[in-house]
Amino acid sequence: MDASWIDKFKGLSRLPDDIRSELEAGSQIVTVPAATEIFEPGQTADNLLLLLEGTVKVQQRSDTGREVFLYRVHAGESCVLTTACMLAFEDYSAEGISETKVKAVAIPRKTFDTLVAKSPVFREFVFTAYSRRITDLFTLIDDIVFQRMDVRLASRLLELADSSGTVHATHAVLGTELGTAREVVSRTLSEFQRRGWVEQSRGEVRLIGRDGLERLVRSAHAQV
Amino acid sequence: MDASWIDKFKGLSRLPDDIRSELEAGSQIVTVPAATEIFEPGQTADNLLLLLEGTVKVQQRSDTGREVFLYRVHAGESCVLTTACMLAFEDYSAEGISETKVKAVAIPRKTFDTLVAKSPVFREFVFTAYSRRITDLFTLIDDIVFQRMDVRLASRLLELADSSGTVHATHAVLGTELGTAREVVSRTLSEFQRRGWVEQSRGEVRLIGRDGLERLVRSAHAQV
DNA sequence: TCCAAGTCTGTGACCAAGTCACCGAAGATT
DNA sequence: AATCTTCGGTGACTTGGTCACAGACTTGGA
């Protein structure tokens, strides 16, 4: 345990030494296998998770059993929206699922509360994280309401592509990510393929004309 | 100043006396006329507002100049999402507009920060408020993605109706509230009228068959 | 009082997106 | 090899969003 995990989080590196050790002592490093439900509706969250490795997908399951993707937590970020419910002793209405193997720091309610009280730096860290997520949610809503599907799909593909330019996801998965139907994804992807922007095979999409996709996304954002 | 405003907020009434007086001393009661911009994008919020009277509408203006309604703050609630940005020194991306004359308590950044540090009760108040708003945002997203417009309009009409069962709003306003186009609202309202649920005149909708509207809303929520 | 300008609502044509039903192809299982 | 499951493709249809335009109502001068 050479360098502390704390330094992986920009907002926390400024913590004074005493708080640092308190945080380290009062928290715990956990690992979770891929595709595991980390938290779910109807459960009071009792740990704040800070992701060291991997990604977590947060989505809401609606009454009908369909799912809306809300946001994705990457390494170096925190599942901070759970904390509101944590401190408020309220249920969280969204569910979090590890997409990969996940390594994270779990900060129990008690430590969290103490640190929020004691440390201005920690407080700022928490509220900054909040404000990020909330603005993300706002832009998500904006996107859903006003942005065309082809643009949203294009930009999501660019986000999800691995280093070799391939997206590993079925049409159905892409559908729930964007809150739309599988058929719509299929149709749009065929169109992208026709334009020579992507190649498809079962369960994956290879981006072979990033330029086209990027142009599409840019053109939609360059509003008149 | 007989009864303190503090007792209007359920979560705050349990505050110990010393914190109460600190809160009262460190904050200020303000009034804002109707239809005034209270906060806007690109501005760091420096006060947390607790509404005593009136309502505030929070919406996001998109690049194209269109607006999406996000949520409405009523008396007894707080514009709490601004506080994240407040403490994080970040810009708020949404705008808040008073719909009526508004009386509110303004808690400056400094007082807020002190109280969050000092008082567990205040902390819980803040985080509870957060969690409410966030869950609201989640259900909003869910609604937008999965719920039919007629259902959403019906339930919004029921919410917005005054004591005499009249909604004072133009079709255009209802459109932005629901994130849809005016024409869609017009068409749906004509349909409601055809069914004898509402009567219309310029700038207002009178609900004359609440039952029908309520049935529509209920039937949509009673998912199989 | 009457006109002009602005605001609000209605409508038809069209396009984008979501839904439904169904099918065949590609992997996985045995 | 036979079967099962998952994935992707397609056509027909409905709902919702966009555009263009017209008529009705309101308001504020002239």
Side-chain angles (χ1 to χ4, degrees):
Chain A
M1 193 117 320
D2 28 335
S4 162
W5 57 261
I6 290 186
D7 294 309
K8 294 211 178 182
F9 296 86
K10 220 173 52 197
L12 294 181
S13 53
R14 289 184 295 118
L15 282 178
D17 285 347
D18 54 332
I19 304 283
R20 284 176 87 102
S21 35
E22 196 168 342
L23 178 52
E24 277 169 358
S27 64
Q28 192 183 355
I29 295 187
V30 295
T31 29
V32 182
T36 310
E37 184 129 343
I38 299 181
F39 46 86
E40 52 181 339
Q43 209 187 30
T44 356
D46 36 30
N47 281 291
L48 166 61
L49 291 184
L50 305 185
L51 285 208
L52 296 171
E53 286 165 24
T55 61
V56 173
K57 177 161 105 177
V58 180
Q59 59 190 19
Q60 190 173 32
R61 198 185 298 273
S62 87
D63 313 351
T64 47
R66 284 182 297 188
E67 290 160 355
V68 211
F69 169 90
L70 294 172
Y71 55 89
R72 176 167 280 122
V73 186
H74 300 94
E77 299 175 345
S78 58
C79 296
V80 79
L81 293 196
T82 50
T83 56
C85 313
M86 190 165 134
L87 281 223
F89 293 87
E90 296 220 359
D91 289 353
Y92 199 57
S93 70
E95 61 179 1
I97 295 172
S98 59
E99 295 189 298
T100 61
K101 191 177 161 222
V102 161
K103 195 165 140 197
V105 184
I107 307 181
R109 180 199 300 273
K110 190 149 183 220
T111 310
F112 179 85
D113 193 48
T114 318
L115 290 180
V116 167
K118 265 197 197 170
S119 163
V121 174
F122 190 77
R123 227 165 20 238
E124 194 181 322
F125 170 75
V126 170
F127 281 102
T128 307
Y130 261 103
S131 115
R132 291 266 157 72
R133 285 282 167 245
I134 291 167
T135 356
D136 281 2
L137 281 182
F138 287 175
T139 33
L140 172 64
I141 293 178
D142 206 273
D143 262 27
I144 293 177
V145 174
F146 295 125
Q147 199 63 271
R148 293 175 46 88
M149 271 308 316
D150 52 358
V151 176
R152 297 182 56 211
L153 179 57
S155 91
R156 190 58 60 103
L157 288 175
L158 291 168
E159 267 175 52
L160 293 179
D162 64 14
S163 50
S164 74
T166 305
V167 178
H168 299 274
T170 66
H171 296 186
V173 168
L174 292 172
T176 66
E177 289 247 345
L178 298 170
T180 184
R182 178 189 59 78
E183 295 91 319
V184 177
V185 174
S186 295
R187 275 178 234 160
T188 313
L189 280 177
S190 320
E191 177 60 20
F192 287 177
Q193 190 167 30
R194 203 189 57 72
R195 298 193 202 171
W197 295 349
V198 305
E199 273 174 357
Q200 299 189 64
S201 47
R202 196 182 170 88
E204 62 176 48
V205 181
R206 283 179 302 285
L207 313 190
I208 53 175
R210 282 186 102 97
D211 296 9
L213 296 171
E214 279 160 6
R215 251 198 325 276
L216 176 63
V217 173
R218 267 202 312 278
S219 73
H221 285 291
Q223 311 286 4
V224 190
Chain B
M1 194 110 329
D2 29 333
S4 161
W5 58 261
I6 291 186
D7 294 309
K8 294 211 179 183
F9 296 87
K10 220 175 51 196
L12 294 181
S13 52
R14 290 183 296 118
L15 281 178
D17 286 348
D18 54 331
I19 305 283
R20 284 177 87 101
S21 37
E22 195 168 340
L23 178 52
E24 276 169 358
S27 63
Q28 192 182 356
I29 295 187
V30 295
T31 29
V32 182
T36 310
E37 182 128 343
I38 298 180
F39 47 86
E40 53 181 339
Q43 210 188 28
T44 357
D46 35 32
N47 281 292
L48 165 61
L49 291 185
L50 306 185
L51 285 209
L52 296 171
E53 286 165 25
T55 60
V56 173
K57 176 161 105 177
V58 180
Q59 59 190 18
Q60 190 173 32
R61 198 184 297 275
S62 87
D63 312 351
T64 47
R66 285 182 297 188
E67 290 160 355
V68 211
F69 169 90
L70 294 172
Y71 55 88
R72 176 167 281 120
V73 186
H74 300 93
E77 299 175 345
S78 58
C79 295
V80 79
L81 292 196
T82 51
T83 56
C85 313
M86 188 166 134
L87 281 221
F89 294 85
E90 295 220 1
D91 290 352
Y92 200 58
S93 69
E95 62 179 0
I97 296 171
S98 58
E99 295 188 296
T100 61
K101 191 177 162 220
V102 162
K103 195 165 139 197
V105 184
I107 306 182
R109 181 199 301 272
K110 189 147 184 221
T111 310
F112 180 84
D113 194 47
T114 319
L115 290 180
V116 166
K118 266 197 197 170
S119 163
V121 175
F122 190 76
R123 221 156 36 228
E124 193 181 322
F125 171 75
V126 170
F127 281 102
T128 308
Y130 261 102
S131 115
R132 291 266 154 71
R133 285 281 167 247
I134 291 168
T135 354
D136 280 4
L137 282 182
F138 287 174
T139 33
L140 172 63
I141 293 178
D142 206 272
D143 261 29
I144 294 177
V145 174
F146 294 124
Q147 202 61 271
R148 292 175 47 90
M149 273 309 312
D150 51 358
V151 175
R152 298 183 55 212
L153 179 57
S155 91
R156 191 57 61 101
L157 288 175
L158 292 168
E159 266 175 51
L160 294 179
D162 64 14
S163 50
S164 75
T166 305
V167 178
H168 300 272
T170 66
H171 295 185
V173 168
L174 293 172
T176 67
E177 289 246 345
L178 298 171
T180 185
R182 178 190 60 76
E183 294 91 321
V184 177
V185 174
S186 295
R187 275 178 239 166
T188 314
L189 281 177
S190 322
E191 177 60 20
F192 287 176
Q193 190 167 32
R194 202 188 57 72
R195 298 193 200 169
W197 297 348
V198 304
E199 273 175 355
Q200 299 189 63
S201 49
R202 196 183 170 89
E204 62 178 45
V205 182
R206 283 178 303 285
L207 314 189
I208 54 175
R210 281 185 103 99
D211 295 8
L213 295 171
E214 279 160 6
R215 250 198 326 274
L216 176 63
V217 173
R218 266 202 313 278
S219 74
H221 284 291
Q223 310 286 3
V224 189

